């Protein structure tokens, strides 16, 4: 249980780092990339795609038989392969924040279904899960396509098709890796008494994570659709002021400068003790010693 909670929190806490988008570094590396690089990029995109991972976690949460796991994962894989390939080839685009917001709703849906929300709260029979997983796969694939179309895919032709297929193969490789880790952790957790006790709490947490992702994606959509209302965020704003201050400090004055209008200030006078006045020696006076003759020395 602790391992699962740690994994769950690490996925959510790193959402700011893994922005689930094609970074500028990805775009630069893919300019002259081969099919293997597209494959690696697809695997990376799936492994850092927290919304896809959370949905898969919800799908396999209560599945124990290999046949059931294979059936649902195949339905999901077929769904996202269809839209990933054809939406990219036909250049069908949409605001990726809105698509990811819908994907967040699929995470909420799966958590709600896992706690029997349709029967316990809505008092209706839950929809066919296999059909829903396939439909949600179509949505997830469209989200993958919107991200892939951010890359410079090149001209149309067989090369474009192979690049898309390479990316899709990478997505499937990443999905297999993620599912292997999830199944390993879940199989170990099911053997402990805490599984029955905390399974409901885990799926409530899944719904909460989906809700937080929904808010995050809607916030991102506001920034793209109403960019004039968000010219700068606080960090950018402060950085701009810091850069302006550095530029102003580094600019040297150009051209003739105005002459100083104030007269230079004389140095302060120091009160030094005055030297005593010189005493003149007394002048010799004429005198006589007894011989009667006046003289002076």
């Amino acid at each position: 249980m602790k391992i699962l909670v740690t994994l769950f929190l690490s996925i959510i806490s790193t959402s700011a780092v893994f922005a689930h988008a094609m970074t500028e570094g990805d775009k630069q590396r893919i300019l002259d990339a081969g099919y293997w690089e597209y494959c690696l990029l697809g695997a990376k995109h799936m492994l850092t795609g927290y919304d896809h991972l959370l949905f898969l976690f919800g799908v396999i949460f209560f599945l124990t038989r290999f046949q059931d796991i294979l059936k649902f994962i195949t339905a999901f894989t077929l769904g996202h392969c269809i839209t990933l390939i054809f939406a990219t080839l036909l250049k069908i685009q949409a605001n990726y924040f809105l698509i990811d917001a819908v994907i967040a709703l699929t995470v909420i849906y799966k958590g709600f279904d896992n706690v029997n929300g349709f029967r316990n709260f809505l008092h209706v029979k839950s929809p066919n899960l296999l059909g829903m997983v396939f439909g949600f796969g179509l949505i997830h694939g469209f989200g993958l396509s919107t991200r892939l179309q951010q890359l410079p895919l090149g001209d149309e032709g067989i090369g474009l098709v192979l690049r898309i297929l390479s990316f899709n193969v990478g997505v499937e490789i990443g999905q297999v890796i993620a599912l292997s880790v999830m199944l390993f952790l879940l199989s170990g957790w099911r053997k402990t008494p805490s599984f029955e006790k905390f399974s409901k709490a885990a799926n409530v947490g899944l719904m909460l994570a989906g809700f937080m992702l929904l808010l995050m994606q809607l916030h991102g959509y506001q920034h793209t659709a109403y960019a004039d209302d968000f010219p700068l965020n606080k960090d950018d704003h402060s950085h701009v002021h810091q850069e302006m201050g550095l530029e102003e400090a580094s600019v040297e004055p150009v051209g003739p400068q105005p002459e100083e209008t104030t007269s230079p200030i004389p140095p302060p006078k120091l009160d030094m003790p005055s030297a005593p006045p010189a005493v003149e020696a007394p002048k010799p006076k004429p005198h006589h010693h007894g011989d009667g003759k006046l003289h002076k020395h």
Side-chain angles (χ1 to χ4, degrees):
M1 177 61 185
K2 291 182 179 179
I3 297 176
L4 283 176
V5 171
T6 303
L7 176 64
F8 173 78
L9 292 176
S10 63
I11 292 173
I12 299 303
S13 63
T14 54
S15 62
V17 178
F18 298 122
H20 192 39
M22 295 300 177
T23 64
E24 292 301 323
D26 292 334
K27 297 176 183 179
Q28 188 65 32
R29 284 192 299 271
I30 217 67
L31 288 175
D32 300 317
Y35 303 128
W36 175 243
E37 283 78 8
Y38 274 90
C39 183
L40 292 177
L41 184 61
K44 171 190 171 185
H45 195 67
M46 173 56 76
L47 290 173
T48 58
Y50 38 79
D51 44 6
H52 305 303
L53 297 179
L54 288 173
F55 179 76
L56 288 172
F57 180 77
V59 169
I60 67 171
F61 190 84
F62 287 114
L63 299 181
T64 56
R65 297 195 310 164
F66 177 77
Q67 293 87 342
D68 293 334
I69 296 173
L70 182 63
K71 179 174 62 175
F72 282 98
I73 295 304
T74 300
F76 178 74
T77 301
L78 286 176
H80 73 67
C81 283
I82 290 172
T83 47
L84 170 58
I85 294 172
F86 288 100
T88 307
L89 280 174
L90 300 175
K91 298 181 179 179
I92 302 173
Q93 296 183 352
N95 187 292
Y96 50 81
F97 284 113
L98 284 183
I99 301 301
D100 286 352
V102 177
I103 292 175
L105 289 176
T106 68
V107 176
I108 298 173
Y109 177 95
K110 197 65 196 79
F112 185 73
D113 181 64
N114 284 352
V115 297
N116 294 320
F118 290 98
R119 185 185 63 187
N120 296 335
F121 300 102
L122 302 181
H123 307 291
V124 295
K125 184 180 179 180
S126 60
N128 180 271
L129 184 58
L130 189 62
M132 295 300 295
V133 170
F134 174 76
F136 290 157
L138 294 173
I139 298 173
H140 283 246
F142 191 36
L144 292 168
S145 175
T146 59
R147 299 299 188 178
L148 179 58
Q149 291 184 65
Q150 293 178 333
L151 299 176
L153 296 175
D155 299 331
E156 297 181 1
I158 188 65
L160 174 61
V161 175
L162 291 177
R163 284 189 287 273
I164 297 172
L165 291 177
S166 299
F167 182 83
N168 190 62
V169 170
V171 168
E172 304 313 321
I173 293 174
Q175 179 174 281
V176 170
I177 295 174
L179 282 172
S180 300
V181 175
M182 292 180 190
L183 289 171
F184 174 77
L185 295 175
L186 283 172
S187 62
W189 187 26
R190 290 193 186 103
K191 298 176 183 178
T192 64
S194 63
F195 182 77
E196 292 293 335
K197 184 177 181 180
F198 293 103
S199 60
K200 183 177 180 179
N203 283 281
V204 171
L206 187 65
M207 288 190 288
L208 178 61
F211 180 72
M212 296 301 293
L213 290 176
L214 176 64
L215 293 180
M216 185 177 70
Q217 300 301 339
L218 291 177
H219 180 70
Y221 171 73
Q222 286 182 316
H223 275 268
T224 56
Y226 307 101
D228 293 339
D229 296 335
F230 304 94
L232 290 173
N233 59 40
K234 291 183 179 179
D235 288 338
D236 291 337
H237 191 73
S238 62
H239 291 162
V240 168
H241 278 281
Q242 291 176 2
E243 292 174 0
M244 291 174 61
L246 291 175
E247 291 176 359
E248 291 176 357
S250 62
V251 172
E252 296 182 357
V254 179
Q257 302 300 312
E259 297 181 356
E260 294 183 357
T261 57
T262 57
S263 57
I265 301 175
K269 294 182 178 180
L270 300 178
D271 294 332
M272 300 294 292
S274 57
V279 179
E280 296 182 358
K283 295 180 179 182
K285 295 181 180 181
H287 63 280
H288 60 87
H289 294 284
D291 55 0
K293 294 182 180 179
L294 293 174
H295 69 279
K296 54 183 179 181
H297 296 286

